[in-house]
């Protein structure tokens, strides 16, 4: 069917071209393009308006172009400059064009699809764009995902912890699944890249999954998008919902992040070397309880008070976290080319210390991008990237053996003796399993990655005349990595010395991941003399994904040996997830004089993950934009842009790999090996989750682009939610995967960007606002809790008619105003709503001020509301060590200390003490730079020096280290549960770069 459709369309296009092609009179237009300082601009796009004809300026800023007819309008565009138009004719064929730096992004070209881009002023969707200057121009970023904080509307971005090496979750326009991955699809230069968060297997030591939550993703693993070097990136386009991302079909329910890396430009070879040296320190320390002898006796006993008298007082939090690490980033760029070939070479070496001893992040990344134009009909662009990194992440988060550093610290008192003796032997902690100084000093928890990302794009121009062209875009990409995790908990650890313990643990993990994607796309463009243009796209795609994780665990280590084959017990775990997806799409774009822009299209996908792997699922899209200011009747000079836009689209999320299968696990049957079914019953009829989004918007531009305002309202619904249905245990199972629900997100996004001052002093400023609300609109199974550990500790509750991110818990009957507690528990299910993880709203405030070579840039981010579950405070309260235990700020009567007040409330059934406002105001980044003119170095080089920082100002009431952390990794709905994380950090960097 697909083959027949492609053949038919190609035949139709050929006949159409033969019928419409014709010869016409023409002349040669020539000219030069310079900037305001009369410097030639290289690589400026020069196009004949309303045709497919165009060229670029050469090394001297000159161009030559054959133009049909006796006259025409030439359109000039260049990144960072205002677009220009000029008229040429056979009698006056020469033009001298001066381009001015842009105060608006309306002429910016935005990548929006598999083989398409569009001028921002013609966009019918709210597509966020982040330039390389915005991404890394203010400060050095440890990871690419961390560089996105606060830089675009419609996103919730949070770190899993402060551990080196990243670990970020990104949700675009609210909740898009309950049990599925919330993350967007990441595409780098056309390559589908993996963003998995893969367990290291340390659960055997922490037993985090042995409590109220069986999730094994509580080991603070990083996510793989952190591997991408932000210094390589030229721009990022973010398709936030189905109305924009529908062309990507069943992988686009979480949105799409399109990353374009840097290219070489025609001209002399340019070499840039930069070096950043900095420091990292904890964002916040909590301090210790205000101990005195009477407090010790009251909290513990007279015997413990004698220890308090005899032993030195040590602030173990400061000993562990109040450290200054050194940051170093070295970067080399080499780029250049001629009219046929361009190249870019980039290399980065990063070595960042963590604030905890024996933690840190090292990365070496090398990129080579080469493009070559073979002739008038063929050009090929190849990108390659190799990454080698190591992240020592420490041992934090939840632990039911009291062994993680954060858990152990909660139960450590300042007079407990933990220092090693003269022989280097650490004493056991008298209260918990972990001596935190020992755990930090002698355990290993490392991730190492070797990764190659490569892609190639060929543009084959099959036909062209003055009115139309036909080209084929062939694209192939591969993302392949080997992740090795190494965790060593030696036998000498105090909690492994006694008989009956595990006797030391060594864990060796290996994950091989290969993503391969291929596509072939026909693009036909047709231009009429009346200013009406058509662009037709037809494409086929295929994506193959294969991930294989093997974890070998050894317990009962022999002496100092750490090899997994030299232990008393060895066990293995393997998880394989192959997936094959195929699809095709058709899209038609119509543009009438940039006044009316209309697009309609459809994508169809099938996947091996679906219950019926041969069934096609269809995802349509349609959008329209009206540029009222382009019409002749528009005469309001002060209002230079008025665009009304509407967009609709559908996208999906494939079922998870195991959803259609009955998984088996190994077991012993007597003395023989065997297999037994797990508790989850597969479903051979399972279908993808389907997302539909409608978006309305208006864009306004004032004062020749000096002020721009955009407003977007969206309604996003997700149907066929993949849920877990309880089934009779007589079936041999307890749950079954079913499509059994729907949810809706409503949101608004508003952006205001302005250039109040322009000239010798230029000030660019802006305000971004975004807000989202979700609701479960249909639930075909009973309401249920997920996330967290128990209702008494705070969990999410999926319930029809309620927010998908509501946080519920048990209640204290004495708090009820009615006898049946219907005021606090109107549903009678025993749960009270204590909050919602969704923020009330977010706002960001970017600013950039430049004057006489100096540039100051900073970004504030305000998150209002949004609740988190703070179980770190719970553990400290239970230990009696909380920093605010004796403060009297919570008890309305002003008599009970905070620690006792929280515990008394909790013991009475109230979950409220652990649900806290997680809002904040942060100075995300700030940078001050000075560019030394080339004239100082005889025009042979330029130099830039500066200083920058991240998270230097943090204002929040949340009663722990950071309100943005998660105990459950980067891909789950319930990502606001905190249990003793690796503390967050702030950085200060000094920069020096030179360009030759």
């Amino acid at each position: 069917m697909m083959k027949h459709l492609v053949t038919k369309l190609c035949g139709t296009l050929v006949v159409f071209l033969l019928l419409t092609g014709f010869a016409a009179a023409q002349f040669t237009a020539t000219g030069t393009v310079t900037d305001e300082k009369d410097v030639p601009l290289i690589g400026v796009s020069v196009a004949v308006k309303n045709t497919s004809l165009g060229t670029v300026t050469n090394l001297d800023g000159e161009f030559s172009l054959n133009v049909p007819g006796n006259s025409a309008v030439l359109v000039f565009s260049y990144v960072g400059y205002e677009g220009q138009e000029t008229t040429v004719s056979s009698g006056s064929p020469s033009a001298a064009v001066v381009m001015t730096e842009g105060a608006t992004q309306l002429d910016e070209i935005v990548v929006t699809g598999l083989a398409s881009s569009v001028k921002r002023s013609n966009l019918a969707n709210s597509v966020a764009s982040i330039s390389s200057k915005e991404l890394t121009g203010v400060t050095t970023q440890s990871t690419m995902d961390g560089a996105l904080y606060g830089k675009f509307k419609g996103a919730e971005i949070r770190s899993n912890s402060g551990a080196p090496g990243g670990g970020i979750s990104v949700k675009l326009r609210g909740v898009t699944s309950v049990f599925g991955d919330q993350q967007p699809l990441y595409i780098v230069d056309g390559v589908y890249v993996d963003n998995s968060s893969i367990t290291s297997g340390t659960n055997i030591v922490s037993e985090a999954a042995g409590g109220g939550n069986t999730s094994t993703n509580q080991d603070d693993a990083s996510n793989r998008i952190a591997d991408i070097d932000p210094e390589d990136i030229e721009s990022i386009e973010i398709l936030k919902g189905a109305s924009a991302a529908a062309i990507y079909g069943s992988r686009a329910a979480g949105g799409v992040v399109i990353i374009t890396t840097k290219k070489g430009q025609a001209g002399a070879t340019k070499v840039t070397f930069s070096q950043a040296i900095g420091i990292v320190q904890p964002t916040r320390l909590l301090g210790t309880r205000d101990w005195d002898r009477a407090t010790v006796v009251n909290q513990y006993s007279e015997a413990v008070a004698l220890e308090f008298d005899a032993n030195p007082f040590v602030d173990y939090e400061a000993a562990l976290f109040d450290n200054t690490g050194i940051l170093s980033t070295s970067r080399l760029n080499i780029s250049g080319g001629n009219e046929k070939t361009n190249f870019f070479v980039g290399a980065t070496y990063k070595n960042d210390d963590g604030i905890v001893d024996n933690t840190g992040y090292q990365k070496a990344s090398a990129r080579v991008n080469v493009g070559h134009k073979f002739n008038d009909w063929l050009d090929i662009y190849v990108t390659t990237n190799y990454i080698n990194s190591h992240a020592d992440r420490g041992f934090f988060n939840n632990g039911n053996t009291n062994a993680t550093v954060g858990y152990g610290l909660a139960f450590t008192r300042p007079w407990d003796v933990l220092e090693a003796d003269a022989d280097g032997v650490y004493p056991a902690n008298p209260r918990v399993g972990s001596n935190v100084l020992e755990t930090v000093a002698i355990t290993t928890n490392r991730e190492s990655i070797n990764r190659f990302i490569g892609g190639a794009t060929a543009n084959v121009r099959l036909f062209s005349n003055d009115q139309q062209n036909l080209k084929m875009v062939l694209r192939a990409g591969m993302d392949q990595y080997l992740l090795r995790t190494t965790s060593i908990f030696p036998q000498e650890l105090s909690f492994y010395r006694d008989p009956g313990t595990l006797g030391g643990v060594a864990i060796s993990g290996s994950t091989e991941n290969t993503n391969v994607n291929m596509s072939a796309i026909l693009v036909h463009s047709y231009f009429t003399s009346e200013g009406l243009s058509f662009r037709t796209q037809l494409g086929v795609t295929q994506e193959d994904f294969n991930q294989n994780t093997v974890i070998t665990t050894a317990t009962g280590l022999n002496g100092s040996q750490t090899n997994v084959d030299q232990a008393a017990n060895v066990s293995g775990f393997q998880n394989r997830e192959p997936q094959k997806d195929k699809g095709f799409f058709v899209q038609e774009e119509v543009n009438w004089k940039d006044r009316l822009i209309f697009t309609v299209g459809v994508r169809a996908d099938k996947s091996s993950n679906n219950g019926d792997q041969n069934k096609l699922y269809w995802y349509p899209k349609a959008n329209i934009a009206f540029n009222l200011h382009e019409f002749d009747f528009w005469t309001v000079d002060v209002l230079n842009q008025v665009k009304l836009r509407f967009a609709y689209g559908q996208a999906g999320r494939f079922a998870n790999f195991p959803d259609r299968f009955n998984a088996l696990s190994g077991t012993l049957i007597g003395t023989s090996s065997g297999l037994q079914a797990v508790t989850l019953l597969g479903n051979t009829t399972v279908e993808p989750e389907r997302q539909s989004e409608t978006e309305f918007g208006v864009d306004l531009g004032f004062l020749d682009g000096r002020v721009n305002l955009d407003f977007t309202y969206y309604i996003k619904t997700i149907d066929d939610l993949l849920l877990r249905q309880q089934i009779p245990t007589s079936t041999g199972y307890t749950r079954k995967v079913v499509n059994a629900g729907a949810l809706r997100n409503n949101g608004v996004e508003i952006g205001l960007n302005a250039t109040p001052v322009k000239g010798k002093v230029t000030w660019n400023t802006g305000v971004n606002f975004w807000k989202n609300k979700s609701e479960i609109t249909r639930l075909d199974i009973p309401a249920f809790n997920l996330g967290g550990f128990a209702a008494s500790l705070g969990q999410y509750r999926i319930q029809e008619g309620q927010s998908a991110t509501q946080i519920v818990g048990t209640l204290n009957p004495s708090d009820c105003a009615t006898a049946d507690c219907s005021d606090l528990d109107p549903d009678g299910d025993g749960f009270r709503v204590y909050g919602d993880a969704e923020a009330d709203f977010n706002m960001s405030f970017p600013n950039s001020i430049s004057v006489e070579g100096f540039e100051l840039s900073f970004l504030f981010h305000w998150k209002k509301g949004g609740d988190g579950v703070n179980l770190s405070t719970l553990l400290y309260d239970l230990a009696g060590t909380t920093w605010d235990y004796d403060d009297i700020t919570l008890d309305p009567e002003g008599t009970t200390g905070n620690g006792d007040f929280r515990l008394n409330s909790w013991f009475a059934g109230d979950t409220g003490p652990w649900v806290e406002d997680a809002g904040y105001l942060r100075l995300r980044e700030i940078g001050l730079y000075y560019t030394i003119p080339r004239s100082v170095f005889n025009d042979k080089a330029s130099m830039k020096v500066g200083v920058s920082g991240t998270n230097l100002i943090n204002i929040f009431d949340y009663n722990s280290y950071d309100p943005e952390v998660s105990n459950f990794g980067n891909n789950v709905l319930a990502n606001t549960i905190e249990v003793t994380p690796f503390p967050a950090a702030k950085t200060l960097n000094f920069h020096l770069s030179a360009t030759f």
Side-chain angles (χ1 to χ4, degrees), residues 816-899:
C816 300
T818 60
D820 60 357
C821 283
S822 58
D823 58 319
L824 300 182
D825 179 17
D827 300 307
D829 52 19
F831 304 117
R832 175 183 177 182
V833 176
Y834 285 96
D836 196 311
E838 189 80 67
D840 298 339
F841 62 80
N842 279 268
M843 295 184 72
S844 65
F845 308 88
N847 280 271
S848 176
I849 303 169
S850 59
V851 53
E852 299 293 336
F854 286 93
E855 184 169 5
L856 172 67
S857 300
F858 56 91
L859 173 67
F860 277 99
H861 182 192
W862 177 24
K863 173 176 172 278
K864 174 67 168 61
D867 298 303
V869 179
N870 179 1
L871 300 184
S872 295
T873 298
L874 166 66
L875 294 177
Y876 278 88
D877 280 350
L878 290 173
T881 59
T882 324
W883 42 92
D884 69 337
Y885 198 99
D886 300 310
D887 295 346
I888 305 176
T889 57
L890 299 178
D891 181 9
E893 298 180 3
T895 58
T896 305
N898 290 353

Side-chain angles (χ1 to χ4, degrees), residues 249-272:
S250 291
R251 304 196 70 85
V256 182
V257 178
I258 303 173
I259 299 171
T260 303
T261 60
K262 295 175 180 177
K263 297 180 180 180
Q265 299 290 337
T269 299
K270 183 169 68 172
V271 179
T272 300

Side-chain angles (χ1 to χ4, degrees), residues 396-655:
F396 286 80
N397 280 17
N398 181 39
N400 290 309
T401 58
N402 307 339
T404 63
V405 173
Y407 208 113
L409 181 61
F411 287 87
T412 299
R413 302 168 301 198
W415 58 90
D416 291 332
V417 178
L418 303 183
E419 295 285 351
D421 62 20
D423 297 324
V425 177
Y426 288 87
N429 189 318
R431 303 188 70 205
V432 292
S434 174
N435 177 329
V436 291
L437 300 185
E438 177 188 48
T439 303
V440 166
I442 68 174
T443 61
T444 299
N445 187 19
R446 167 174 284 202
E447 297 178 349
S448 298
I449 193 85
N450 277 291
R451 187 170 192 172
F452 174 80
I453 302 172
T457 300
N459 295 293
V460 185
R461 284 168 285 279
L462 303 175
F463 177 87
S464 180
N465 65 20
D466 59 344
Q467 280 193 297
Q468 59 188 302
N469 62 62
L470 175 66
K471 72 174 182 178
M472 176 177 286
V473 180
L474 302 174
R475 181 172 288 139
M478 181 176 70
D479 173 23
Q480 187 173 58
Y481 66 76
L482 175 62
L483 168 68
R484 293 194 180 278
T485 58
T486 302
S487 302
I488 301 173
F489 299 85
Q491 186 186 51
E492 64 189 274
L493 280 165
S494 55
F495 53 85
Y496 282 153
R497 294 173 192 166
D498 294 337
T501 66
L502 294 177
V505 176
I507 309 167
S508 178
S510 174
T511 297
E512 295 183 28
N513 187 93
T514 302
N515 292 1
V516 176
N517 65 281
M518 297 172 286
S519 61
I521 305 167
L522 282 172
V523 182
H524 176 248
S525 299
Y526 179 70
F527 305 86
T528 70
S529 58
E530 292 78 21
L532 188 64
S533 65
F534 301 86
R535 182 166 59 178
T536 307
Q537 298 182 58
L538 168 67
V540 293
T541 67
Q542 178 170 328
E543 298 89 33
D544 293 345
F545 307 91
N546 198 322
Q547 187 174 103
N548 185 8
T549 298
V550 178
I551 297 176
T552 303
T553 303
T555 61
L557 301 182
N558 290 310
S560 61
Q561 296 295 321
T562 57
N563 283 12
V564 294
D565 65 336
Q566 297 180 355
N569 308 288
V570 179
S571 62
F573 163 83
Q574 184 171 13
N575 183 55
R576 293 182 296 171
E577 294 191 6
Q579 181 177 345
K580 293 182 180 294
D581 306 334
K582 294 181 179 180
F584 70 91
F585 68 93
V586 179
Q587 179 170 291
E588 181 69 34
E589 301 168 63
V590 182
N591 184 327
W592 178 52
K593 294 184 177 181
D594 285 346
R595 297 173 178 176
L596 172 65
I597 303 93
F598 174 73
T599 302
V600 63
V602 65
R603 165 112 184 194
D605 280 332
K606 62 181 181 179
S607 172
S608 60
N609 272 23
N610 295 330
D612 183 351
Q613 60 182 330
N614 294 312
K615 181 178 179 179
L616 283 171
Y617 291 87
W618 299 81
Y619 303 99
K621 63 173 290 187
N623 58 59
I624 189 168
F626 293 93
N627 279 319
L628 299 183
H629 59 281
E630 295 286 352
F631 286 87
D632 295 336
F633 64 76
W634 192 262
T635 59
V636 183
D637 293 337
V638 71
L639 193 57
N640 61 283
Q641 186 203 20
V642 179
K643 180 172 66 175
L644 306 178
R645 47 187 171 81
F646 167 83
Y648 172 82
Q650 293 187 356
R653 174 179 285 100
F654 294 125

